[in-house]
Amino acid sequence: MRPNSLHAADLAHMVHQQTDLDAHGREGAVLITRGEGVRVWDTEGREYIEAMAGLWCASLGFSERRLAKAAHDQMLALPYYHTFFQKGHEPSVRLAEKLAAIAPEGLSHVLFQCSGSEANDAAIKLIWYYHNVTGRPQKKKLIGRIRGYHGNTVATASLSGQPHMQADFDLPLTDRFLHVSNPNYYRFGQPGESEEQFSARMAAELEALIEREGGETIAAFFAEPVQGGGGAITPPRGYFDLIQPILKKHDILLVADEVICGFGRTGNLWGSETYGMRPDMLSCAKQLTASYQPLSALLVSDRIHAALLEGSRRNGSFGHGFTYGGHPVACAVALETLAIYEERDILGHVRRVSPAFLEGLGQFREHPLVGDVRGVGLIAGVELVADKATREPFPAGAKAGLKVQEACEKAGLIVRAIGDRIAFTPPLIITEAEIGEMCARFRTGLDAAWEALRDQRALAAE
């Protein structure tokens, strides 16, 4: 490696996020230089199909010029302004109006932030604020799910059920953060247990936790329609139908984390629509701007907004906000993104290509490495197993998921290993032909990883 190269500078100065820093120090990074459609190229000229849309987010691919123009035009007109102190600007107002129009029923008020983490962090603050203002200050505890992912702030990492995001960070922060089981039916369903029975067991676990802690102390339940950071885990049949009456019975708010699922990923505009969720709050980001600008939104119900008004009267101000929340350039790009979704019928396109996507990945259930494949719309998870008959997982030291991820990269395919689940969330514009090529490259990667794991196990047996 040349001492003055980009890669050398990266190793010397850049701290990569959510990365094995020790491995990075030995191996260096893949540095991406350009993108076109669903493909990206690195500094060595290698081409990849980006089957993760970056971080679940580049919904319109990597070369949508209309979004670049929207950003350019807004930069020339008003490059920055805020929404503090009764100030504002047209792009943020028009975007709030648009989001309220397309949101699930009852979510008619919008707060803007820069990231999904910030949106969920804001939700936590507003939940506590809401219960304080409405005279129930004892309702403070928040329930997340094991392997759930809600962000990287101190509060959202505490809420997330991701052990590696809490270890040595002194998280969870307080005993306000509770967790129930990961609803992965394939991995945790009991012998002979149907999906519906598994969902009923998950619901019973939630109710037992609420009764043990006291419903009067539980403020909210956070759930992704599909657990993204957990490995693209779709909920088992009937799950949310059983969960929601329990929350309503104990007057516990439901927050739908739509940071990954929102704007068409599941084949509907909202994952809440796909799974019959009726949230009191909804967080969204990523595909809101096709990730061409950092922007997130928290949508809240009328009753939450009424508490914000009352609290502002009581305290003299609503003491919450972000300098770049509702940035005019980001809002202009979001408005153009939503316009493109409608004009090009992106939802219809997702529904048309989803069968090819799910069936294409479904064929790998026959592969010796694969135990299960589940998905919806254009999000899917492939679970790797050491033994298909018993569903025995690989030992952690085998790093089966990483081996598949690395082998796929060599085959020109970027996927995401989450433990021993391989996640797929390609740009929403992917075509059936590109899905076919994606699956062919995945097979090459799987086969190469299978050979490596077989050799590794053979050596271990000697």
Side-chain angles (χ1 to χ4, degrees):
M1 185 181 298
R2 297 190 303 275
N4 296 322
S5 72
L6 184 63
H7 285 80
D10 174 71
L11 284 172
H13 305 294
M14 181 78 174
V15 180
H16 287 255
Q17 303 173 87
Q18 295 285 0
T19 293
D20 181 337
L21 295 179
D22 182 58
H24 172 64
R26 296 190 307 271
E27 302 161 7
V30 175
L31 301 178
I32 303 300
T33 59
R34 68 184 182 93
E36 182 73 29
V38 302
R39 301 169 194 269
V40 295
W41 285 260
D42 68 14
T43 50
E44 309 305 309
R46 291 184 294 253
E47 171 264 348
Y48 307 86
I49 292 177
E50 231 301 359
M52 282 301 299
L55 285 175
W56 323 79
C57 52
S59 51
L60 295 175
F62 298 90
S63 54
E64 181 50 66
R65 294 185 180 275
R66 279 178 58 177
L67 300 186
K69 184 178 186 302
H72 176 263
D73 291 349
Q74 185 59 48
M75 286 282 283
L76 294 178
L78 182 67
Y80 168 72
Y81 212 70
H82 60 81
T83 62
F84 283 38
F85 316 128
Q86 294 177 259
K87 302 295 192 299
H89 47 80
E90 183 174 358
S92 64
V93 173
R94 293 302 181 200
L95 182 58
E97 179 183 44
K98 179 64 176 178
L99 287 172
I102 64 176
E105 184 178 356
L107 303 180
S108 54
H109 305 276
V110 182
L111 295 86
F112 290 116
Q113 308 82 23
C114 296
S115 70
S117 295
E118 290 176 358
N120 285 322
D121 196 272
I124 291 169
K125 286 179 68 179
L126 264 59
I127 288 163
W128 290 336
Y129 191 90
Y130 165 77
H131 286 302
N132 287 335
V133 169
T134 56
R136 294 173 296 177
Q138 72 278 14
K139 286 180 87 69
K140 290 292 190 292
K141 296 174 184 175
L142 306 168
I143 302 176
R145 301 181 295 175
I146 299 299
R147 303 300 299 169
Y149 181 91
H150 301 290
N152 265 285
T153 67
V154 168
T156 57
S158 295
L159 177 66
S160 297
Q162 301 278 353
H164 75 284
M165 289 170 51
Q166 299 176 351
D168 288 335
F169 288 110
D170 286 353
L171 300 177
L173 189 60
T174 74
D175 60 2
R176 290 185 179 188
F177 298 94
L178 309 172
H179 295 87
V180 290
S181 292
N182 177 355
N184 180 346
Y185 170 66
Y186 174 79
R187 174 52 53 208
F188 301 114
Q190 296 174 352
E193 187 177 47
S194 69
E195 279 194 54
E196 291 83 358
Q197 289 169 331
F198 177 73
S199 293
R201 181 158 60 85
M202 294 296 98
E205 179 198 14
L206 172 65
E207 184 137 44
L209 173 66
I210 293 169
E211 291 177 354
R212 184 167 63 250
E213 297 288 332
E216 71 281 359
T217 72
I218 310 294
F221 178 83
F222 280 70
E224 306 152 89
V226 177
Q227 280 192 314
I233 299 169
T234 54
R237 281 191 293 271
Y239 178 82
F240 285 112
D241 290 338
L242 295 173
I243 292 293
Q244 290 180 104
I246 295 170
L247 301 178
K248 188 173 182 180
K249 172 184 172 183
H250 295 280
D251 196 16
I252 295 170
L253 299 174
L254 172 61
V255 183
D257 181 340
E258 295 257 15
V259 171
I260 286 172
C261 294
F263 308 105
R265 177 58 65 187
T266 66
N268 290 302
L269 190 59
W270 305 105
S272 295
E273 181 182 354
T274 302
Y275 294 108
M277 298 172 68
R278 297 173 295 280
D280 299 285
M281 293 183 175
L282 182 152
S283 57
C284 59
K286 296 189 184 288
Q287 297 184 156
L288 174 57
T289 63
S291 292
Y292 281 48
Q293 284 284 296
L295 182 68
S296 65
L298 177 66
L299 284 58
V300 304
S301 66
D302 288 342
R303 68 168 170 154
I304 303 293
H305 185 253
L308 305 188
L309 287 173
E310 178 57 31
S312 181
R313 293 187 192 104
R314 189 164 83 183
N315 300 312
S317 176
F318 174 54
H320 171 84
F322 295 89
T323 299
Y324 302 111
H327 193 290
V329 177
C331 289
V333 171
L335 285 165
E336 189 70 6
T337 301
L338 297 179
I340 291 171
Y341 290 161
E342 292 180 0
E343 292 170 23
R344 297 181 188 170
D345 188 22
I346 294 297
L347 274 179
H349 175 77
V350 171
R351 292 167 180 165
R352 286 188 292 274
V353 302
S354 176
F357 172 73
L358 297 174
E359 290 165 14
L361 291 176
Q363 68 181 310
F364 294 105
R365 291 188 183 93
E366 305 304 317
H367 194 279
L369 259 183
V370 174
D372 190 42
V373 180
R374 289 171 193 261
V376 63
L378 284 177
I379 180 170
V382 177
E383 184 134 353
L384 310 176
V385 291
D387 187 302
K388 292 169 73 74
T390 64
R391 303 186 182 184
E392 177 190 353
F394 282 94
K399 296 185 176 180
L402 282 177
K403 284 185 169 60
V404 171
Q405 177 179 292
E406 291 165 359
C408 286
E409 196 170 288
K410 289 178 181 177
L413 178 68
I414 295 176
V415 294
R416 169 94 172 270
I418 303 173
D420 284 348
R421 284 182 68 87
I422 307 300
F424 288 79
T425 54
L428 301 185
I429 61 170
I430 195 168
T431 65
E432 287 194 25
E434 289 165 337
I435 288 169
E437 190 174 354
M438 177 193 81
C439 290
R441 296 185 187 192
F442 185 48
R443 182 172 293 281
T444 299
L446 268 183
D447 288 345
W450 171 237
E451 291 298 324
L453 286 163
R454 285 175 63 189
D455 292 345
Q456 180 177 307
R457 295 180 79 178
L459 286 171
E462 290 180 359

